[in-house]
Structures are given as structure tokens and as C-alpha cells.
Amino acid sequence: MQAPVKNESLFSQGRTAACIGGIALISLLAFEAIAVAAAMPAVAAALGGLDFYAIAFGGTLATSVVGMALGGELCDRHGASRSAWLGLAAFIAGLLAAGAASDMYTLVLGRLLQGLGSGLLGVAIYVGMSRAVPSALHPKLFAMFAGAWVVPALVGPGIAAGLVHAFGWRAVFLAVAAVAPVAGALLLPALSRQAAPAGAAEPMRWRRLGWSVLAACGALALHGGSHLPQAQLMPALLAIGFAVAVFAARRLLPAGSLRAAEGLPAVVAMRGLIAAAFFASEAFVPLILTTRYRWSLAEAGLALTAGALMWSVGSATQARLRAETARRRGLTAGFVAMTVGLSGALAAAGLSLHPAWVVAGWALNGLGIGLSFPMLSVLTMKLSRPDEQGSNASALQLSDALSSSVALALAGMLMHALARPAAPPDAQPILALSALLALAGAWISPRAFRRGSGPQQDGVGTGA
């Protein structure tokens, strides 16, 4: 990797508008994710939708798979601007639908539309900013993106709790919908000025988009299986959903991803594991604290704040690791820290220890993902040819979303299977599942560095 020019800033050489716009929009997406996670216990209670708790998060991730696949194609064929425009429109429409929902079904539908928009937006920001910033500055860029979660993480749970208390839970969605156009206006002009991508003459790969729709349907079938009134039909739908999701994933991800082959496939596989481990458990940490420990929404939000703050610390630390040996160790150390943190939070909840131990475990989990998550982003760009950056960035986020959605579906099943009358939801098995996923990531992490430093020729969708 090329060494950065001494004292060169991300905000130099005409990149100021693009960087500010990208950071502003990521901060807004971060606020929405953290605020909704903090407010969802109140939403589920108001709409009587605790049974749909997992799908309110996992369904959003499932439809984001379609957005990411479409976003990757649009970025490689037409540039990042078109994907960003469509994503912003769908994201705002989903927020408005969720904010106006009169029942949990409508809220989930709004969340599905949000997922489509966030998938389009995420790929557009990732690819557009990667093209606007020299590769030597990519570690700083992705560290700054991770840092864009800090302020929302510090104020998001408190603002969400305040909005719920003063105006009701709908205000959490509607407030984000009001601010999103402003953040988009900062980024979109910078993206629209970028030159046409190298693959602009190539036709859209509609078959790839079809596979993404099939993958989303498989993930949604997993969520729907746990809600069937006929118990005898549940195993069949769950088996079909899982088979469909895996079959479609083989066509969407780089060859060898499902077996974590060396190089880019291992990077994509680890992104799925790290995202599933973090986001499946993040959705349930506030629920544990509000039901088991009787914390308020604002108090439970402190755990999310601690995790996101330590995520930023871990991200800043990895940006200072220059030698490849140090980055190898840092990548593995991040997964190990997540495993220990999640196991600690699990033990604290299981033994009914003081809730501060749950928060401490979640903070260590945040430190771990902060170390490893940006490294996977840097490795993806490093191992990709310029004309594959959009597809590989899309594949990385597809792995992220699809794995997280499947993990949340499993979490929902576990919660339903272990539910007891008049007892708080049992989310401890979900923490155990997340810890096992993080441990698997630590085990395969050395495979990401064994192919050398140049772009690979693995291709996307040729089997796994």
C-alpha cells in the first residue's frame, strides 16, 4: 500500500465537500440505527409487537441486501450519485411509513423500505468516497467513518429517550426523516461531479439483482417461520428459508466466501461474522437491561453509547497500525476482544450480576469491532481491481446484512422457543450465539492476508 503523503489531510485537494457530506450522512444513519435500537422496547410495547421484535431489525437488513446489490451495479455502471439519490428517497419514505404506523405490521413494512434505502446509500457512500480519496488515505477515511458513529452514539440514546418521553416513539422516525434531506444535500453534489466509472459501458447484471431478491426472501422466510400458528409447518419453512438464503449467497458473494477461502473471500466471510455477532446482540442489549434489570430507556442507552465509543477507540487504534504484521495481529485481536466481551455480558446476565458488568462486556465488544471492522474495509479495496470496487464493496455489505439478518432470525426463534409466561424475554442464548460467531471470525482471520497485497481475480457469484 502506498504511504500517505506527509501531513496530507482527507479534507485537502478539493475533497472537503465530499468528506463532510459523507460523514454527515453516515452520522445520520448511525443516529437512526442507535436511536431506533434504544427506542424499540417502547415501540414494541406500544404496538403490542414483542413477537416481531427481531424482524423489525432483521427484516431491515434483509431488504438492504437488495439495495446493496442494486447499489453495487449502479455504482459500477453509472457512478455513486444515482445509487445515493434512490437510496435517500427510499430511506426517507420508510421512515415516514414507520413513523405513521398504527400497528407492528405497518412499522415492519416501513422498516423493510428503510433497509432498501440504507443498502443503496451505504454502497454509494463507500464507493464514492473510496474513489474520491487516494488509497493511501483509506485507513484514515474508514477510521473517520467509524468515528462518525461516536457523537450519535453519545447523544442518540438520550435523544431517543427524550423524544419518546416528550412526543412519543413516532418522533424518533419522523425527526430523522426531517434531517435526512439536509445531510443528503451535502453529499450528492460531490458524487455527481465524479467521472464516469470504468465499467460504465457494461450492461447491468439483472441476474445478480434477482439473486439478491431471492436472498432477501430466504432471510424473511426465516423470520416468518417463527410466527407460524401451525407448529408443524415451522420446520419446513425454516429449512426452505435457510436453503434459499445460502443458495442465493453463493451467487452473490465472491467465490469461496462461504468456506472462507484465502484472500478476499475470507475478508467477506469475516465481515459477515463480525456484523452478525455485533448487530444481533445489539438489538437485544437494551431489551435485557429494560426487562431484566428494569432500567429506563435512557439508562439502557448507556450500554449502546459505551459500545459505540469504544468502537471509535478501536478504529482510531487500527489506523495507527502500519506494518502488515501488526495489522494481522490487530484483526485477530479485535475478534478475540468481541468474544471475551460478549461472553462477559452473557455471564453477567446469566448470574444476575450488577448491570454495570453487562455494560462493561458490551464496551469491550465495541472495542473489538472497532479494531477489526475498518481493517476489513481497507482489505477489500486493497484486494479489488478498480473496475470491481463497486461489486466487491457491495459483496462486503451483502455479507454483513445477510449474515446479520439470519442471525437475528435465529435470535427471534430462540427467544420464542424459550419464552415463559409472565417472565422477561430470555436473550442470553442470543449473546452466546454472538460470542460463537466472533470466535469463528478469530479462527479464520489469518486467511485474509495470505494472498499477497495485489488485487485478486476471484470474481463475484461464481460459487462458494
Side-chain angles (χ1 to χ4, degrees):
M1 181 180 290
Q2 178 185 356
V5 177
K6 186 176 181 180
N7 297 326
E8 185 176 3
S9 169
L10 284 171
F11 297 92
S12 63
Q13 299 182 3
R15 296 188 293 265
T16 301
C19 289
I20 292 176
I23 291 168
L25 197 52
I26 285 180
S27 295
L28 182 64
L29 292 173
F31 174 81
E32 183 273 338
I34 292 170
V36 170
M40 191 56 72
V43 177
L47 298 179
L50 188 59
D51 287 346
F52 292 87
Y53 196 92
I55 196 173
F57 294 96
T60 305
L61 291 167
T63 54
S64 73
V65 169
V66 180
M68 290 169 188
L70 178 58
E73 290 297 301
L74 290 175
C75 287
D76 283 344
R77 307 294 178 265
H78 304 287
S81 177
R82 187 173 300 187
S83 179
W85 274 106
L86 290 174
L88 190 63
F91 182 65
I92 294 172
L95 288 166
L96 293 175
S102 58
D103 52 52
M104 200 66 174
Y105 298 102
T106 307
L107 183 130
V108 169
L109 289 175
R111 294 283 289 161
L112 297 182
L113 191 53
Q114 279 181 251
L116 178 65
S118 64
L120 284 159
L121 271 175
V123 173
I125 296 171
Y126 190 104
V127 175
M129 293 306 301
S130 293
R131 291 170 176 170
V133 173
S135 60
L137 293 176
H138 282 177
K140 289 185 178 180
L141 173 68
F142 293 117
M144 187 166 291
F145 279 176
W149 285 75
V150 175
V151 173
L154 290 173
V155 304
I159 292 177
L163 287 172
V164 171
H165 179 74
F167 304 106
W169 60 266
R170 300 178 191 278
V172 175
F173 296 96
L174 298 178
V176 177
V179 178
V182 179
L186 294 173
L187 176 66
L188 290 169
L191 296 184
S192 64
R193 290 193 294 268
Q194 290 185 347
E202 299 294 328
M204 291 277 287
R205 292 178 296 179
W206 295 108
R207 182 176 295 181
R208 175 172 168 77
L209 300 181
W211 287 121
S212 72
V213 172
L214 189 62
C217 289
L220 290 173
L222 283 172
H223 284 280
S226 61
H227 298 289
L228 281 178
Q230 296 87 3
Q232 64 270 23
L233 296 179
M234 185 185 301
L237 184 59
L238 296 179
I240 292 172
F242 184 78
V244 167
V246 171
F247 183 72
R250 287 174 60 90
R251 271 67 184 174
L252 289 169
L253 303 180
S257 294
L258 296 188
R259 55 185 172 83
E262 295 176 358
L264 182 63
V267 173
V268 172
M270 281 187 286
R271 177 64 173 260
L273 289 170
I274 198 171
F278 186 87
F279 294 111
S281 50
E282 182 188 49
F284 289 89
V285 167
L287 191 64
I288 291 173
L289 293 172
T290 55
T291 57
R292 182 175 294 274
Y293 292 102
R294 304 299 178 187
W295 276 22
S296 68
L297 287 178
E299 291 171 330
L302 292 175
L304 301 183
T305 297
L309 184 60
M310 293 304 293
W311 183 331
S312 179
V313 172
S315 180
T317 300
Q318 68 80 32
R320 292 180 172 83
L321 301 178
R322 300 293 178 84
E324 183 170 302
T325 301
R327 294 188 70 79
R328 289 189 189 201
R329 293 172 180 170
L331 181 63
T332 303
F335 279 98
V336 171
M338 291 183 68
T339 305
V340 174
L342 288 164
S343 300
L346 169 64
L351 297 173
S352 298
L353 301 179
H354 193 279
W357 289 106
V358 177
V359 176
W362 188 251
L364 181 58
N365 182 45
L367 177 66
I369 194 171
L371 274 171
S372 297
F373 201 88
M375 288 191 187
L376 298 176
S377 299
V378 173
L379 281 168
T380 300
M381 292 295 101
K382 183 179 180 182
L383 297 172
S384 301
R385 297 195 307 261
D387 61 335
E388 292 180 335
Q389 287 181 345
S391 296
N392 288 342
S394 172
L396 193 73
Q397 297 187 40
L398 282 168
S399 177
D400 178 325
L402 192 56
S403 299
S404 298
S405 185
V406 170
L408 280 162
L410 294 175
M413 293 175 212
L414 289 171
M415 190 169 72
H416 286 297
L418 300 173
R420 292 174 295 172
D426 188 0
Q428 295 174 52
I430 298 161
L431 294 178
L433 172 65
S434 295
L436 289 174
L437 292 172
L439 183 61
W443 178 59
I444 68 173
S445 61
R447 302 182 190 181
F449 293 88
R450 290 182 180 173
R451 282 277 189 96
S453 59
Q456 298 182 66
Q457 309 295 323
D458 284 319
V460 174
T462 56

